[in-house]
Amino acid sequence: MRKGFYFNIKMSKEQATLHLSERVNQMAISQTIAMAQKARELTAQGKPIIKLSLGEPDFQTPDHIKAAAKQAIDDGHTFYTAVPGNLDLREAIANKLKRDNDLHWEAKNIVVSTGAKQSLANVFMALLNPGDEVVILAPYWVSYSEIVKLAEGTAVLVTGDIVNDFKVTPEQIEAAITPRTKAILYSSPSNPTGTVYSRTELEAFAEVVARHEHVFVVADEIYEYITFEDDYFSIGAVDAIRDRVITINGFSKGFAMTGWRVGYMAGPEWMAKACDKIQGQITSGTCSIAQKAAYTAISGDLTPTFEMKKAYQRRRDLVLGLCKEIEGVKTYMPQGAFYLFPDVSHYYGKSDGTQSIQDSDDLCLYLLSDAHVALVPGSAFGAPECIRISYAASDEELTEAMKRIKNSLAKLK
Ligand code: PMP
Ligand code: GLU
């Protein structure tokens, strides 16, 4: 076959699929990002879309953090940094982990990456062999299962019930562990439910993990600074399993820095070294300017972070109150993040006379076209009876969106 043959012809989707790796063909598209893209397209067509699809703070990055980035450019920090991140940033992260989380890692245990998403990808690339299992507490964030798949692992879902605030029990985790289990993965506060595991609940999980020496915990704490109770607890602080917990965190949520792309992992040195090695071949680490901004964020004044948290809490109460007024919708009390994940299955099997609703995908498409509100179907998070409302939006937008949702749902018979 002539060299370059494939690149000279126009390929159909089927041809492209034929030539792409199984790895990519097997991968689902991120539904959070796909819904956000669809909402942007409709907005560009002039539709009055209210976007409650993407899990992204609606606040600007605080000014003192922006100023640090400007200063970094003026000071000439325009070169590659150390692959695992600047030493001052890793030391500041180590201090924060000691202060807030009772985690005693040093700079050498920390790797800074292009967002917590890459930190997760590094960790699972480093940890998994083909067929290794990862127990994921569900409903789970869309990218968990795909990252595990990409690393040739198998995702094993353990699902919490809405009547129990979507919390998984230690018994469920125990029952899911097999000799192939490599890790347990969860986020607290959770994306998509906003559920926060308490100290007592995490200690009970740790007891299970302590009994299975081959099992690690990957604790995604990216929403840590958006919790509405005061007793945030990190499972890595339980002595019996300290050296088997890999903590993931980042700057996107608590500091409203999604676009800057800075996240990190903290864990045993051998794991940090492995992440460093992977990153050294794939990205050479994250942006030098963004790292300087992140240093200021983590070592500076947290007042803007607490102000944003207060706003999210007020919005949680607003959206939850309005949601409870909608017939047939089941709710619960989220304690953190900026998501509400109500059960809307009451509307499945109904129709507005034109569109018939069979599942969460149909319902989200219906609400997008009829109410002009963009949400994400629960199917993307392993809970097809639910939809995700991201309430990182203004009070006015939230009030209007909930009114439109209520009206559109009322048309379904
Ligand atoms: N974990 C969870 C639970 C998230 O919701 C997100 C948001 N995208 C991430 C990790 C990744 O965040 P980022 O890559 O922006 O740091
Ligand atoms: N975490 C956000 C969400 O769930 C951002 C999008 C993404 O990275 O998936 O919407």
Side-chain angles (χ1 to χ4, degrees), residues 55 114-118 120 141 144 187 191 220 222-223 252-253 258 261-263 339:
T114 54
K117 207 177 233 176
Q118 197 207 344
L120 286 160
W141 178 46
Y144 287 168
S187 57
N191 180 358
D220 181 348
I222 193 158
Y223 295 96
S252 288
K253 315 294 169 168
T258 45
R261 312 306 304 129
V262 196
Y339 306 111

Side-chain angles (χ1 to χ4, degrees), residues 136-214:
I136 300 179
L137 308 202
Y140 61 93
W141 178 46
V142 278
S143 296
Y144 287 168
S145 53
E146 298 312 307
I147 288 173
V148 166
K149 243 201 275 171
L150 193 61
E152 298 186 68
T154 303
V156 176
L157 302 184
V158 172
T159 307
D161 198 300
I162 192 168
V163 297
N164 193 23
D165 289 345
F166 291 107
K167 285 178 180 172
V168 165
T169 64
E171 292 75 23
Q172 282 177 286
I173 296 180
E174 178 73 65
I177 292 176
T178 73
R180 294 304 309 261
T181 307
K182 210 65 191 280
I184 295 167
L185 168 63
Y186 69 93
S187 57
S188 175
S190 153
N191 180 358
T193 64
T195 294
V196 181
Y197 284 99
S198 70
R199 180 185 187 120
T200 315
E201 286 157 349
L202 290 174
E203 282 173 347
F205 288 175
E207 261 181 49
V208 175
V209 175
R211 283 198 288 275
H212 300 276
E213 283 185 4
H214 62 296

